[in-house]
Amino acid sequence: MRKKKARALITGITGQDGSYLSEYLLSLGYEVWGLVRRTSLDPLMRLSKSTGNKNLHLVYGNLRDSATLARALEEGKPHEIYNLAAQSDVAISFKCPEETFEVDYFGLGRLVNEAMKIVPKVRIYQASTSEMFGRTPPPQNERSPFRPVSPYGEAKLKAHEDFVVGYRKRHGLFICSGILFNHESPRRGEHFVTRKISISLAKIKLGVQKSFALGNLDAKRDWGFAGDYVRAMHLMLQQKKPDDYVVATGVTHSVRDFVEEVARALEMKITWKGEGLKEVGIDSYGNTIITVDKKFYRPHEVNALRGDPSKARKKLGWKPYVAFEELVQMMTRADYERLKKTL
Ligand code: G4F
């Protein structure tokens, strides 16, 4: 560890990963600067645990505006930058491809170019994604080919190739890609499938919602706990050389499995009937509580993701502590208890 207090800048600090990472870095004694967009809704909500911490500084800015990035870098003079800000919703990226490229590709370009001018020795973590693998069959690791199928996956891949691999080679920049597989928590955005399921089933259990609709029930994801994954981000920047790492659990489950596990946590039982768009999930009272709606299908789907985290385990000494069942229980309990209080 450095003798001087380490300083970090986190873009996307108000998101799920930003909030866990800022708590983690503050617990390690870091001074943390967080970039907050003016439009962020209640930026302090997820950061409430760290509010009042004298080592946490929030600065207004965003990845579309180089001047705001320069200001944050001048102010914080960070040793480490964690670029977590993104248009990270895959379904939205099909509807807003330009916006997605603007933030996820050009945004990283702006950040690294300002960083090279203001803090040339800085170490940078780039939030890359398993969505870059797209149609490549599992298990996916650092040597697997990238075959993205969404504008989000394409923007992230181009950012990885140009500004991570490219700038590392051409400019000697210390920059790492964390190729993170899906990671969830009670702080996960409500439009992602895991949180949508935990909230909807908790509401049904509490009697305030009758049913909800999902898209592809057979899509498979490697779901881990966000709190575990931020440790890997930090470890990447403590290595002698910059490199890219897959961060995953190595275990995969379908959306249907996720539904069943949440139901189990709520002591509900779901029986599936029908097929495709006609499939429904029925509870033990015979009520249809889940339907399938075409509008939640993607124009192009990544059917199956399962990461091979061997490199992160070997080189970083990283491993996840929270298994799938525990993660689902944690999320379900949090939503159920929170919603119960509002009744
Ligand atoms: O929860 P999701 O929206 O996450 P997705 O698309 O896998 O992306 C997340 O993980 C990536 C890492 O691989 C990140 F890079 C990205 O930023 C984001 O965090 O969807 C998961 C799966 C998909 O296959 C989707 O088609 O669930 C399926 N799904 C089925 N019904 C649904 C729904 N997804 C959503 N959001 N809503 C549904 O009703």
Side-chain angles (χ1 to χ4, degrees):
M1 221 10 172
R2 294 176 187 87
K3 284 196 191 104
K4 266 203 287 179
K5 186 176 262 188
R7 293 187 301 270
L9 170 69
I10 304 176
T11 73
I13 195 167
T14 57
Q16 168 188 257
D17 294 5
S19 69
Y20 281 112
L21 180 64
S22 59
E23 281 167 26
Y24 183 59
L25 295 183
L26 289 168
S27 79
L28 296 179
Y30 273 68
E31 192 154 9
V32 175
W33 273 259
L35 197 73
V36 179
R37 268 185 311 145
R38 269 200 186 280
T39 48
S40 281
L41 281 177
D42 190 1
L44 294 177
M45 205 171 68
R46 283 205 181 91
L47 296 174
S48 55
K49 274 196 186 171
S50 313
T51 309
N53 188 318
K54 65 176 178 18
N55 289 325
L56 176 67
H57 317 271
L58 298 181
V59 280
Y60 279 107
N62 75 71
L63 291 179
R64 290 164 158 272
D65 186 340
S66 296
T68 65
L69 300 175
R71 199 177 318 123
L73 291 164
E74 291 285 3
E75 204 181 297
K77 289 274 162 49
H79 304 106
E80 296 171 12
I81 299 173
Y82 295 85
N83 183 38
L84 311 184
Q87 191 307 92
S88 64
D89 186 315
V90 177
I92 292 287
S93 80
F94 288 100
K95 293 180 179 148
C96 310
E98 241 180 80
E99 158 87 11
T100 305
F101 262 83
E102 188 55 50
V103 178
D104 297 1
Y105 173 71
F106 292 109
L108 178 63
R110 290 182 193 104
L111 183 63
V112 294
N113 283 302
E114 290 306 321
M116 285 196 314
K117 282 188 257 166
I118 298 165
V119 276
K121 292 203 176 127
V122 75
R123 296 179 166 210
I124 305 178
Y125 171 84
Q126 160 65 357
S128 287
T129 163
S130 52
E131 190 69 19
M132 301 189 315
F133 292 118
R135 289 268 156 85
T136 296
Q140 295 99 353
N141 65 22
E142 296 80 1
R143 294 177 305 283
S144 305
F146 294 122
R147 293 189 187 123
V149 297
S150 64
Y152 169 74
E154 284 172 3
K156 283 286 191 176
L157 176 56
K158 190 99 179 74
H160 169 75
E161 288 173 343
D162 289 359
F163 301 124
V164 179
V165 180
Y167 271 43
R168 208 154 56 196
K169 271 197 201 137
R170 282 200 296 281
H171 303 293
L173 188 66
F174 193 112
I175 182 164
C176 304
S177 260
I179 307 174
L180 267 56
F181 283 59
N182 298 50
H183 44 289
E184 320 292 310
S185 75
R187 303 181 195 175
R188 185 60 148 149
E190 298 184 7
H191 51 286
F192 293 102
V193 78
T194 53
R195 199 66 206 296
K196 179 175 170 181
I197 296 168
S198 63
I199 292 173
S200 304
L201 283 180
K203 283 186 175 171
I204 291 170
K205 175 82 180 178
L206 289 164
V208 294
Q209 185 172 320
K210 286 200 164 26
S211 66
F212 67 107
L214 287 168
N216 183 1
L217 294 170
D218 297 313
K220 289 187 165 173
R221 291 291 182 272
D222 178 333
W223 279 298
F225 172 51
D228 278 338
Y229 286 27
V230 300
R231 284 187 290 105
M233 298 176 187
H234 175 254
L235 282 167
M236 285 177 215
L237 298 197
Q238 314 313 308
Q239 305 308 304
K240 281 211 177 90
K241 289 189 178 158
D243 206 345
D244 307 320
Y245 298 88
V246 158
V247 180
T249 68
V251 182
T252 192
H253 291 91
S254 65
V255 171
R256 189 192 305 278
D257 294 337
F258 200 95
V259 171
E260 289 172 5
E261 199 62 37
V262 172
R264 223 183 321 276
L266 290 166
E267 295 176 352
M268 294 166 79
K269 192 165 162 39
I270 293 181
T271 315
W272 301 99
K273 282 210 175 120
E275 268 178 35
L277 290 175
K278 297 228 166 89
E279 184 162 7
V280 290
I282 297 172
D283 71 7
S284 45
Y285 304 102
N287 301 315
T288 296
I289 57 170
I290 300 170
T291 55
V292 175
D293 191 326
K294 214 175 162 190
K295 81 170 176 223
F296 297 116
Y297 272 76
R298 310 263 160 95
H300 299 281
E301 175 69 286
V302 171
N303 292 319
L305 291 173
R306 178 165 60 85
D308 164 12
S310 315
K311 181 175 166 184
R313 197 176 303 130
K314 198 166 153 218
K315 298 214 164 156
L316 303 177
W318 176 86
K319 64 173 184 186
Y321 291 112
V322 177
F324 178 74
E325 293 74 14
E326 200 185 328
L327 171 67
V328 176
Q329 274 177 28
M330 180 201 301
M331 294 177 70
T332 309
R333 210 177 308 124
D335 278 324
Y336 181 79
E337 294 302 334
R338 181 180 54 81
L339 290 162
K340 203 164 95 175
K341 281 191 204 136
T342 65
L343 291 181

